[in-house]
Amino acid sequence: MSNRAIDAKGLVKRYGSTIAVAGVDLAVNAGEVVGLLGPNGAGKTTTILMLLGLTEPSEGSVRILGKDPLRQPLEVKQEVGYLPDAVGFYETMTGRENLAYTARLAGIPQDLARERIGAALDKVRLSGVADRRVATYSRGMRQRLGLAELLMRNCRVAILDEPTSGLDPQSTQELLALIQSLSQHGMTILLASHMLNVVQSICHRVALFNKGRIGFIGTIEELADRIGGGAFVIDVEAEGVDLSTLSARTDGVKSVVPGRRGHWLVEANRDVRPELARLVVEGGGSLRNLDLRRAQLHQAYNRYFAEVGHDA
Amino acid sequence: MTRKGSPFKGAMTIAMKEAADHMTSARMHLIMLLVMLSATGAVYGAIGRITETTAEDPFLFLKLLTIAREPLPSFAALLGFLLPLVAIALGFDAVNGEYARRTMSRLLAQPIYRDAVLFGKFLGAMIVLAVALLTLWLLMTGLGILFLGLPPSAADVVRGLAYMAATLAYAGVWLALAIAFSTMIRSPATSALAALSVWLVLTVFWGMIAPLVAGAVAPIDPLDPMTMVTQYETQQAIARLSPQRLYGEVAAILLDPAARSISPLFFDQLQGAIVGAPLPTLQSLLVVWPQLSGMVAAMILLFTLAYVAFQRQEVRA
Ligand SMILES: Nc1ncnc2c1ncn2[C@@H]1O[C@H](COP(=O)(O)OP(=O)(O)OP(=O)(O)O)[C@@H](O)[C@H]1O
Ligand SMILES: [Mg+2]
């Protein structure tokens, strides 16, 4: 067996004359966290539904853990947890009852389910309100209840559609920590989101959806590199020199953007800190700081979509 | 395509949850209160008429269900009219309600087939209907014992139970209709209205519509007496498209052992028969067999319609 958790080839989905997904190939390795990005209507949710077998692809094939979600739906759904965007629960039932119901549907024995539900509710910090009706829950609490369901199900693959929408910053951080701990336990995670900092902080790779296709898939560094920026972003603070003109000629430097007074953001496809230091010193300036940063997803993202253009 | 695992895996879980939901919902409490009150009224009226006239009837407890005292209809007629409402209340938002609450995609992402959702919903509501009907019947029998001062005979009980089973099938038709609408119409309010419209047409107006249509389809030729028979038969056929009519015929035969036929009897059919002699229960069942199978067929047809629509449906709301 290969360690491919998700393997989709040539996925197409047509709704009448509209083409929601126009040919998507997606391969995700076991244990990976992959972010699905892209403007509204780009086809992320539709792709997710096809991966789960909840929507039949017009063309193409899907393998999840080596199984076909259309031919072996129960086996696939047993292994895959799904948190839909704007997840709903039965309002007149308590949070705990809602989880108990899905546990029964998933065929988890009652004692084991009770144990796992308790642990999952603890983990998402809902134990205190677990016996209140869901009608009284806030949006973030529902979102966390959805995550508790995934924890309780104990799946090998989790597919999350905009799990952080509507969460306050603290809950977002907690949710990220949770997702990260799932990943550390070996769970494969697919995450659609519009919050680029969220994606940047937990995803190993990103897939950029544009008009029903994946325009790019890879690490953020690869993305930055590919769209003409650089994988290496260096924050330079110096006095007495104009770095914009000086460093433009240095080999490997892709761009220099002046920031606040005395600050420059240099993008390069390799670590050019030694060269920059030499330039500043040789130019008669004084160097205050050289800070190597990861490429920023939001910059790369914006640049990518400025380049390919999109009409959402 | 081979499918592993039963398509019914999880159906029982869903049915039990649905049944519990219904039993605790204010909607159900209200409508059952309405049914209980009017049923009690109808049976109480029947008791009055029975004690006024004679008590020399071997099937007194069946009379409880069929005798009407103005202005109330009989218990059987009342059920024929009100039971569809109960079934519609149970089914009108079965499927679209899951979309409205945004629980559908989460539900279908569980390791179950779609079949289980629809079967579970249907089964859950049928369980509730069966429990409600049984309670109702026991209550009415209790009322009878109390006021008539004697227990029901064995024949009373057997026929009563057969009648209750037929009533459940009748309710099933309306439940399947409501679920079909809940599958095909996205808004619960609209699907409720659609089901209620069908109910109104088939229970209230059908009696007027059937002769009109029959008159147009099979006009009477004054020179040909057979055309009168043709028109009558056409009218009967059209009238029987309404489940309420079928149910009425079933109730009339099952609850009245002396009744031998649903349509007017021709003289030769009566030859050799002792008028007024009770028919064995099995014979009565045979007489209404076409009506019973008609109701079951309608139920299966409507359910299949809902099933096909649901299987092809996009999960996303
Ligand atoms: N049932 C449907 N019928 C017709 N078109 C649909 C249907 N469902 C989705 N679409 C179309 O498919 C396209 C892709 O939608 P999708 O929901 O996959 O986008 P998305 O990337 O998830 O967007 P968002 O970021 O807003 O969630 C959209 O143009 C949408 O209008
Ligand atoms: Mg989406």
Side-chain angles (χ1 to χ4, degrees):
Chain A
M1 276 279 316
S2 75
N3 65 340
R4 277 283 157 77
I6 299 174
D7 203 352
K9 290 201 182 80
L11 283 185
V12 173
K13 182 67 187 182
R14 284 181 287 266
Y15 292 113
S17 60
T18 45
I19 298 175
V21 173
V24 157
D25 298 294
L26 181 64
V28 177
N29 293 324
E32 235 187 335
V33 182
V34 173
L36 307 184
L37 304 172
N40 294 135
K44 304 179 292 292
T45 300
T46 310
T47 302
I48 287 175
L49 291 177
M50 287 191 282
L51 294 180
L52 288 160
L54 292 185
T55 284
E56 198 171 340
S58 308
E59 280 171 37
S61 69
V62 177
R63 288 287 177 284
I64 304 249
L65 301 167
K67 291 174 184 130
D68 183 338
L70 288 179
R71 287 179 183 279
Q72 299 153 284
L74 296 198
E75 282 99 322
V76 168
K77 289 197 267 187
Q78 196 76 52
E79 304 279 13
V80 183
Y82 171 46
L83 181 59
D85 58 344
V87 60
F89 289 91
Y90 301 105
E91 306 265 314
T92 53
M93 289 159 64
T94 68
R96 197 188 300 278
E97 285 167 354
N98 266 284
L99 294 194
Y101 180 48
T102 32
R104 273 201 303 280
L105 288 177
I108 303 172
Q110 212 165 17
D111 290 340
L112 184 62
R114 197 173 307 127
E115 204 174 289
R116 282 204 207 156
I117 289 169
L121 287 169
D122 263 344
K123 222 165 180 187
V124 299
R125 295 195 310 113
L126 281 180
S127 304
V129 294
D131 296 310
R132 263 168 48 183
R133 291 190 302 129
V134 171
T136 66
Y137 283 19
S138 74
R139 179 148 174 208
M141 285 155 84
R142 285 158 205 247
Q143 214 73 23
R144 290 193 335 239
L145 187 59
L147 208 72
E149 183 180 300
L150 289 192
L151 292 170
M152 179 269 292
R153 289 273 315 277
N154 215 0
C155 305
R156 285 165 66 191
V157 177
I159 301 185
L160 317 173
D161 202 346
E162 303 187 22
T164 55
S165 72
L167 292 192
D168 62 46
Q170 203 209 336
S171 308
T172 306
Q173 281 313 314
E174 284 173 10
L175 198 105
L176 290 184
L178 270 175
I179 295 176
Q180 226 145 16
S181 81
L182 291 181
S183 159
Q184 274 148 18
H185 284 92
M187 198 186 269
T188 308
I189 294 170
L190 209 59
L191 169 85
S193 180
H194 292 296
M195 297 179 80
L196 301 178
N197 52 343
V198 166
V199 173
Q200 170 138 29
S201 64
I202 59 171
C203 292
H204 302 132
R205 289 194 298 152
V206 296
L208 295 194
F209 277 73
N210 187 30
K211 295 174 191 152
R213 292 177 196 279
I214 295 184
F216 169 87
I217 181 163
T219 63
I220 294 168
E221 284 73 22
E222 284 165 357
L223 174 65
D225 202 30
R226 149 82 199 280
I227 51 139
F232 294 84
V233 178
I234 298 145
D235 186 9
V236 187
E237 191 183 351
E239 256 171 24
V241 282
D242 183 7
L243 211 59
S244 308
T245 49
L246 281 179
S247 59
R249 275 163 276 132
T250 308
D251 182 38
V253 170
K254 294 262 177 118
S255 78
V256 181
V257 184
R260 279 178 291 131
R261 227 178 83 81
H263 281 263
W264 288 268
L265 218 53
V266 178
E267 281 183 280
N269 53 16
R270 60 190 181 87
D271 189 357
V272 292
R273 278 180 298 178
E275 285 90 335
L276 291 177
R278 188 152 25 81
L279 279 172
V280 173
V281 173
E282 283 173 359
S286 52
L287 184 64
R288 304 228 159 206
N289 191 21
L290 269 182
D291 201 3
L292 181 65
R293 295 195 198 150
R294 263 185 92 184
Q296 288 300 301
L297 177 57
H298 65 93
Q299 283 172 353
Y301 180 92
N302 289 338
R303 226 182 266 167
Y304 177 83
F305 281 103
E307 203 173 279
V308 297
H310 73 80
D311 32 37
Chain B
M1 189 140 121
T2 57
R3 302 207 302 186
K4 265 195 232 146
S6 159
F8 303 109
K9 177 179 175 291
M12 213 49 211
T13 306
I14 294 175
M16 291 328 282
K17 179 212 165 250
E18 288 295 314
D21 274 1
H22 292 316
M23 303 264 201
T24 53
S25 79
R27 183 202 295 171
M28 235 356 239
H29 291 167
L30 263 175
I31 193 148
M32 277 318 290
L33 192 71
L34 176 73
V35 173
M36 291 277 178
L37 282 181
S38 21
T40 311
V43 170
Y44 192 74
I47 291 170
R49 284 235 349 231
I50 291 172
T51 43
E52 267 164 28
T53 54
T54 170
E56 293 292 301
D57 195 299
F59 298 102
L60 263 188
F61 278 80
L62 297 181
K63 286 260 179 328
L64 278 184
L65 308 181
T66 47
I67 290 183
R69 177 188 216 172
E70 292 295 328
L72 281 178
S74 71
F75 175 87
L78 201 82
L79 272 194
F81 184 72
L82 283 185
L83 202 57
L85 281 187
V86 182
I88 289 172
L90 288 174
F92 78 91
D93 68 344
V95 172
N96 52 21
E98 296 277 349
Y99 287 110
R101 282 173 294 188
R102 297 187 149 276
T103 44
M104 187 58 100
S105 51
R106 206 170 50 82
L107 181 61
L108 292 180
Q110 306 305 322
I112 52 167
Y113 287 110
R114 277 192 193 202
D115 316 37
V117 175
L118 217 55
F119 278 117
K121 297 247 167 197
F122 187 76
L123 199 64
M126 281 303 261
I127 291 171
V128 174
L129 283 167
V131 170
L133 283 176
L134 203 64
T135 316
L136 206 60
W137 181 64
L138 288 176
L139 218 72
M140 296 313 127
T141 309
L143 219 61
I145 296 175
L146 203 66
F147 285 97
L148 299 175
L150 74 172
S153 69
D156 273 333
V157 174
V158 170
R159 277 182 180 266
L161 284 178
Y163 164 67
M164 278 297 139
T167 307
L168 189 63
Y170 173 60
V173 178
W174 290 98
L175 179 65
L177 179 87
I179 291 183
F181 276 130
S182 89
T183 313
M184 290 179 281
I185 301 173
R186 260 306 153 88
S187 142
T190 313
S191 68
L193 261 180
L196 286 178
S197 311
V198 174
W199 169 74
L200 206 63
V201 169
L202 287 187
T203 57
V204 179
F205 297 120
W206 205 245
M208 299 187 302
I209 294 172
L212 282 179
V213 178
V217 174
I220 292 177
D221 177 355
L223 299 179
D224 182 358
M226 268 323 277
T227 55
M228 272 176 74
V229 177
T230 316
Q231 187 185 65
Y232 176 78
E233 280 173 350
T234 314
Q235 185 188 324
Q236 289 295 303
I238 294 169
R240 284 186 182 135
L241 289 177
S242 163
Q244 193 207 20
R245 168 63 180 264
L246 294 182
Y247 175 67
E249 292 177 357
V250 171
I253 295 286
L254 286 184
L255 295 178
D256 180 6
R260 340 204 111 232
S261 166
I262 295 151
S263 45
L265 289 172
F266 294 103
F267 183 69
D268 56 338
Q269 285 175 302
L270 279 174
Q271 274 188 341
I274 308 159
V275 177
L279 222 54
T281 310
L282 203 63
Q283 289 297 319
S284 293
L285 269 175
L286 282 179
V287 171
V288 290
W289 199 249
Q291 278 78 358
L292 277 177
S293 25
M295 288 200 289
V296 172
M299 180 172 88
I300 292 174
L301 184 77
L302 287 166
F303 187 81
T304 308
L305 221 66
Y307 182 86
V308 171
F310 185 51
Q311 290 290 336
R312 301 159 57 110
Q313 206 153 58
E314 282 300 325
V315 172
R316 184 165 18 191

